[in-house]
C-alpha cells in the first residue's frame, strides 16, 4: 500500500470508528468518508462504502460470488482488478454487477455514484449481507440531513405521450387481426417528436452521456431483427429505445461514457432511417439520418460516420435521384478512408447502382466499366472486413447483400446472363428477409423481360408479390413493381397473367406513410 493509500485508509478508519460509536449507519459513514477524502485522494463513492465497512477488495468479491451462487448463477468474472477499476472510476459496472454491489452495500446505485436505477426495480436496504465488523443494531431514526434521496429518471410529458403512442402501436401490431390503417397521423407525430427531441439534446452544450450495458445489447439485437421483423413493429421498439437514450443524455453523466451513448444514438437513428426507407417515407428517413450524423460526429469515429452516410445514400437511390446517391456514396467512401469497415464495401456498391440507374438501360461501355470497377472495389473491401461485420446485416455488410446488389447492378446494366447467376446465388442466401427476397425476384423478372420472355417475367413478378405479406407491401416494393408493370405493358399489353400481376400489386395494403419536412 502506498503512503497516499495508507493516509486515506487511516482517515477512513477514524471516521468509521467515530460513526459507529455515534450509532450512524454504514451508508452515513460512507457519505462522511467521501466528503473528507474525495478532495485529497479522489475517493469515489463506491470505494467510500467499502472503507465504511473496513473490509478489503477480496471481501467484497467473495460476497458478490456468494450472491451469484445463492441465485443459482455461474461464477462471475469480477475480480479485485475489475473492482479496483470501478473504485478508481476507470470503468463502470454493468447492470448485473451494479445490482450485486448495491446488494452487498445495502444501498441504491446513486449512493455508489451511479445516477441510474437498478435493474431489479426494488430497494437494497436489507440486513445481514456483509459480514465485516459488527454493526450496531439499526433503530428507527428521523430522517437525517445526510440521508440519500433517490431520484429516478423522469420522462417529460411530451416524451411520455410519444412513447405511449408507439407502445400502443407495437401492441396492436402483435395482434394477428390488427387493423393498422388508422395509425398514420399519431405514429408519424410520435416518430418525429422523438427524433426532434434527440436533435435538441444533441446540440445542448451541457449534455454529457451515460449508458447501461443492456441498451447496447438491445441496439445490436434490433440490428439482427431488421431482416425478420415487420418494419412498423421494429420501428416502435427502436424509437422507444432512442427515447430512453435521449432521456439519459439530457442529464449530466460521467464524461467517459458520453461516447458510448452518442454511438448508440447514431446507430438507433440510422436504423430508424433504414426502417423509414422500407416504409416508403423518404423525408423522415433523411431526418433520422441527419440526427444520426449529429450523434456520430460527437464520437469522432470515422467508420460510424461513414456507415451513416452510406445508409443515407440509399434514400436518393431508392427515390429517384441517382446523382445525389452517387455523391453521398463517394462522401461515405472518403470518410471511411483506409479504415476497414462496412462502409468501405457498401459505398462502392451504391456508386455502382447509381451509375447503373444513370445509364437508363443503355449499355455504354464506359458506364459498364465504371460500375464493374466499383463492384470490384466492394468485393475487395468486403474481404478485409472483420468477420463480425461480415455477418451483421444492419451495422455491417454481408456476403448476401453483396450478391443481391451486384445482381441488381448487372440487371440495370442489361448484363442479364451474369445477373441471373448472381441473383440465383443471392436468393439462396436470403432465407429470412422477405423484402430483399421480393426485390431479388423483381430483378429476375426484369432480366426475363430484357431477354424478351414477357410471359415468364409476369409469372415471376406475380409470384414475388403474392409471397410478400401485406405489412411488407410498402413503397419500397411497390415502386419497382410498378416500374416493371409499365415496362411489361409497353412490351406486350395482352400478355397472359397481367391481370393477376395488377391484382397482386394493388391489393389492400398498409397505406403509404407521409411524413413532415423533418
Amino acid at each position: 500500500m502506498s503512503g497516499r493509500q495508507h493516509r486515506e485508509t487511516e482517515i477512513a478508519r477514524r471516521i468509521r470508528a467515530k460513526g459507529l460509536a455515534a450509532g450512524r449507519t454504514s451508508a452515513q459513514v460512507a457519505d462522511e468518508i467521501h466528503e473528507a477524502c474525495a478532495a485529497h485522494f479522489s475517493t469515489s463513492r463506491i470505494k467510500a462504502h467499502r472503507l465504511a465497512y473496513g473490509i478489503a477488495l477480496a471481501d467484497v468479491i467473495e460476497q458478490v460470488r456468494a450472491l451469484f451462487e445463492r441465485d443459482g448463477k455461474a461464477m462471475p468474472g469480477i475480480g479485485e482488478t475489475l473492482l479496483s477499476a470501478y473504485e478508481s472510476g476507470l470503468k463502470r459496472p454493468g447492470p448485473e454487477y451494479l445490482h450485486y454491489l448495491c446488494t452487498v452495500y445495502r444501498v441504491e446505485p446513486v449512493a455508489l455514484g451511479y445516477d441510474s436505477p437498478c435493474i431489479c426495480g426494488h430497494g437494497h436496504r436489507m440486513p445481514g449481507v456483509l459480514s465485516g465488523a459488527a454493526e450496531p443494531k439499526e433503530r428507527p431514526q428521523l430522517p437525517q440531513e445526510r440521508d440519500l434521496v433517490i431520484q429516478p429518471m423522469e420522462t417529460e410529458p411530451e416524451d411520455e405521450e410519444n412513447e405511449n403512442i408507439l407502445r400502443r402501436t407495437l401492441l396492436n401490431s402483435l395482434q394477428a387481426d390488427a387493423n393498422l390503417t388508422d395509425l398514420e397521423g399519431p405514429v408519424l407525430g410520435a416518430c418525429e417528436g422523438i427524433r426532434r427531441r434527440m436533435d435538441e439534446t444533441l446540440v445542448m452544450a451541457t449534455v454529457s452521456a451515460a449508458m447501461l450495458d443492456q441498451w447496447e445489447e438491445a441496439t445490436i439485437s434490433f440490428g439482427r431483427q431488421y431482416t425478420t421483423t415487420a418494419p412498423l413493429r421494429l420501428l416502435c421498439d427502436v424509437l422507444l429505445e432512442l427515447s430512453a437514450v435521449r432521456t439519459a443524455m439530457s442529464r449530466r453523466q460521467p464524461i467517459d461514457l458520453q461516447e458510448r451513448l452518442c454511438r448508440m444514438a447514431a446507430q438507433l437513428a440510422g436504423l430508424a432511417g433504414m426502417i423509414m426507407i422500407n416504409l416508403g417515407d423518404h423525408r423522415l428517413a433523411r431526418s433520422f439520418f441527419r440526427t444520426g450524423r449529429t450523434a456520430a460526429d460527437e464520437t469522432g469515429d470515422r467508420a460510424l460516420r461513414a456507415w451513416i452516410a452510406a445508409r443515407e445514400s440509399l434514400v436518393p437511390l431508392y427515390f429517384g435521384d441517382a446523382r445525389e446517391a452517387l455523391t453521398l456514396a463517394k462522401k461515405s467512401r472518403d470518410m471511411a478512408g483506409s479504415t476497414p469497415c462496412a462502409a468501405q464495401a457498401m459505398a462502392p456498391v451504391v456508386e455502382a447502382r447509381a451509375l447503373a440507374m444513370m445509364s437508363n438501360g443503355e449499355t455504354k461501355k464506359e458506364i459498364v466499366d465504371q460500375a464493374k470497377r466499383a463492384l470490384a472495389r466492394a468485393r475487395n473491401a468486403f474481404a478485409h472486413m472483420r468477420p463480425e461485420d461480415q455477418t451483421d446485416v444492419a451495422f455491417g455488410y454481408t456476403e448476401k447483400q453483396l450478391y443481391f446488389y451486384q445482381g441488381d447492378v448487372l440487371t440495370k446494366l442489361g448484363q442479364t446472363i451474369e445477373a441471373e447467376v448472381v441473383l440465383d446465388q443471392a436468393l439462396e442466401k436470403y432465407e429470412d428477409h422477405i423484402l430483399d427476397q421480393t426485390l431479388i425476384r423483381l430483378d429476375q423478372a426484369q432480366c426475363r423481360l430484357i431477354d424478351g420472355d414477357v410471359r415468364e417475367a409476369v409469372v415471376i413478378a406475380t409470384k414475388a408479390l403474392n409471397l410478400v405479406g401485406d405489412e411488407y407491401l410498402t413503397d419500397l416494393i411497390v415502386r419497382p413493381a410498378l416500374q416493371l408493370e409499365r415496362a411489361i405493358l409497353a412490351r406486350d399489353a395482352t400478355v397472359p397473367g397481367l391481370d393477376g400481376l395488377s391484382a397482386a400489386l394493388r391489393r389492400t395494403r398498409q397505406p403509404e406513410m407521409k411524413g413532415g419536412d423533418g
Side-chain angles (χ1 to χ4, degrees):
M1 181 184 295
S2 67
R4 179 184 177 87
Q5 290 174 316
H6 182 76
R7 290 195 301 275
E8 178 189 37
T9 303
E10 285 298 314
I11 293 172
R13 184 179 290 120
R14 287 197 297 270
I15 294 173
R16 177 173 179 271
K18 292 179 181 179
L20 292 177
R24 296 189 180 92
T25 66
S26 293
Q28 292 171 329
V29 172
D31 198 18
E32 291 186 10
I33 291 174
H34 179 262
E35 287 187 5
C37 298
H40 302 288
F41 307 106
S42 301
T43 306
S44 62
R45 289 191 178 276
I46 187 172
K47 185 176 183 179
H49 278 271
R50 180 172 63 80
L51 295 174
Y53 280 98
I55 58 178
L57 290 166
D59 297 315
V60 180
I61 298 303
E62 288 304 319
Q63 287 289 335
V64 171
R65 289 173 177 168
L67 290 170
F68 267 75
E69 184 177 3
R70 179 201 67 184
D71 293 342
K73 297 183 177 181
M75 282 296 99
I78 189 172
E80 292 184 33
T81 302
L82 185 57
L83 182 56
S84 179
Y86 294 158
E87 291 188 351
S88 63
L90 295 176
K91 290 188 176 182
R92 174 192 175 96
E96 188 172 45
Y97 283 167
L98 179 58
H99 163 68
Y100 282 106
L101 288 171
C102 288
T103 304
V104 167
Y105 292 126
R106 305 203 299 272
V107 293
E108 307 308 316
V110 69
L112 300 181
Y114 305 110
D115 190 12
S116 56
C118 184
I119 57 172
C120 69
H122 57 70
H124 293 274
R125 296 179 180 179
M126 58 191 79
V129 178
L130 275 167
S131 56
E135 279 217 38
K137 290 185 178 180
E138 293 188 12
R139 52 185 180 274
Q141 298 181 8
L142 293 174
Q144 301 292 317
E145 183 179 352
R146 294 182 184 274
D147 283 351
L148 293 171
V149 178
I150 308 301
Q151 296 287 351
M153 286 196 299
E154 297 181 358
T155 304
E156 298 181 18
E158 180 182 347
D159 295 329
E160 186 173 0
E161 176 60 24
N162 288 336
E163 290 179 11
N164 286 338
I165 289 172
L166 293 173
R167 288 190 181 98
R168 287 195 295 269
T169 304
L170 180 59
L171 288 173
N172 288 337
S173 71
L174 294 174
Q175 300 174 14
D177 58 348
N179 180 7
L180 302 179
T181 58
D182 299 327
L183 294 174
E184 179 180 354
V187 172
L188 287 174
C191 294
E192 176 61 15
I194 287 176
R195 188 202 63 77
R196 179 172 47 79
R197 296 285 289 170
M198 174 56 80
D199 268 351
E200 292 171 357
T201 300
L202 286 168
V203 299
M204 290 174 59
T206 58
V207 168
S208 55
M211 188 54 219
L212 296 176
D213 291 346
Q214 68 263 32
W215 286 356
E216 291 177 330
E217 294 169 4
T219 301
I220 295 171
S221 175
F222 292 147
R224 289 194 294 265
Q225 295 174 46
Y226 175 67
T227 62
T228 58
T229 304
L232 183 59
R233 185 184 307 173
L234 183 58
L235 179 67
C236 293
D237 281 333
V238 169
L239 291 186
L240 286 171
E241 201 74 11
L242 185 64
S243 183
V245 172
R246 193 211 66 80
T247 301
M249 292 177 69
S250 66
R251 302 177 65 180
R252 177 66 63 182
Q253 307 289 355
I255 195 167
D256 60 318
L257 297 175
Q258 182 172 357
E259 182 179 336
R260 289 173 64 188
L261 254 184
C262 286
R263 171 182 296 278
M264 195 170 56
Q267 290 177 320
L268 289 170
L271 190 54
M274 292 159 58
I275 298 170
M276 283 298 179
I277 292 176
N278 291 345
L279 289 171
D281 194 315
H282 61 93
R283 287 180 292 276
L284 265 178
R286 285 180 181 276
S287 296
F288 275 109
F289 285 126
R290 185 171 64 242
T291 299
R293 286 203 311 269
T294 305
D297 286 345
E298 290 295 315
T299 69
D301 187 329
R302 292 175 67 97
L304 181 61
R305 294 170 63 199
W307 175 79
I308 290 284
R311 283 293 179 182
E312 186 178 2
S313 68
L314 295 179
V315 179
L317 185 74
Y318 284 135
F319 294 97
D321 192 342
R323 292 191 180 279
E324 185 186 359
L326 186 62
T327 300
L328 285 173
K330 289 180 177 179
K331 184 182 296 185
S332 171
R333 189 182 64 187
D334 291 342
M335 285 181 182
S338 58
T339 306
C341 60
Q344 271 198 332
M346 186 177 182
V349 170
V350 177
E351 288 183 49
R353 297 175 74 189
L355 287 167
M357 288 176 62
M358 292 164 61
S359 71
N360 293 319
E362 297 180 11
T363 56
K364 293 181 180 179
K365 186 177 184 304
E366 181 183 355
I367 293 179
V368 172
D369 289 346
Q370 286 184 42
K372 287 189 174 182
R373 282 197 297 271
L375 291 176
R377 288 198 302 271
R379 288 191 293 270
N380 181 62
F382 178 81
H384 291 86
M385 285 168 52
R386 299 181 305 173
E388 56 266 34
D389 289 337
Q390 292 177 342
T391 58
D392 190 334
V393 72
F395 303 120
Y397 206 63
T398 65
E399 187 179 30
K400 62 183 180 182
Q401 289 172 299
L402 197 58
Y403 275 117
F404 168 28
Y405 297 126
Q406 182 179 347
D408 181 67
V409 170
L410 294 171
T411 299
K412 288 181 171 58
L413 291 174
Q415 309 286 298
T416 58
I417 297 176
E418 293 180 69
E420 289 191 355
V421 173
V422 175
L423 289 171
D424 284 340
Q425 293 173 319
L427 196 56
E428 289 178 4
K429 295 178 179 295
Y430 274 95
E431 298 177 352
D432 58 354
H433 195 185
I434 189 62
L435 287 175
D436 283 341
Q437 286 180 29
T438 307
L439 291 172
I440 290 169
R441 291 188 174 101
L442 292 177
D443 274 344
Q444 288 177 324
Q446 182 69 36
C447 284
R448 298 300 174 87
L449 181 63
I450 293 172
D451 289 340
D453 193 346
V454 183
R455 179 175 296 190
E456 185 63 15
V458 171
V459 171
I460 294 174
T462 304
K463 179 183 177 182
L465 294 173
N466 285 330
L467 286 174
V468 69
D470 291 347
E471 70 272 26
Y472 292 99
L473 197 61
T474 64
D475 194 62
L476 181 69
I477 298 296
V478 172
R479 184 185 295 268
L482 285 171
Q483 292 174 348
L484 178 63
E485 183 191 44
R486 285 194 291 269
I488 290 172
L489 285 169
R491 183 69 67 88
D492 185 355
T494 63
V495 63
L498 197 55
D499 290 343
L501 173 60
S502 180
L505 180 55
R506 291 171 176 79
R507 69 181 189 264
T508 302
R509 62 187 179 95
Q510 193 168 311
E512 243 180 69
M513 300 178 71
K514 295 179 169 51
D517 293 335

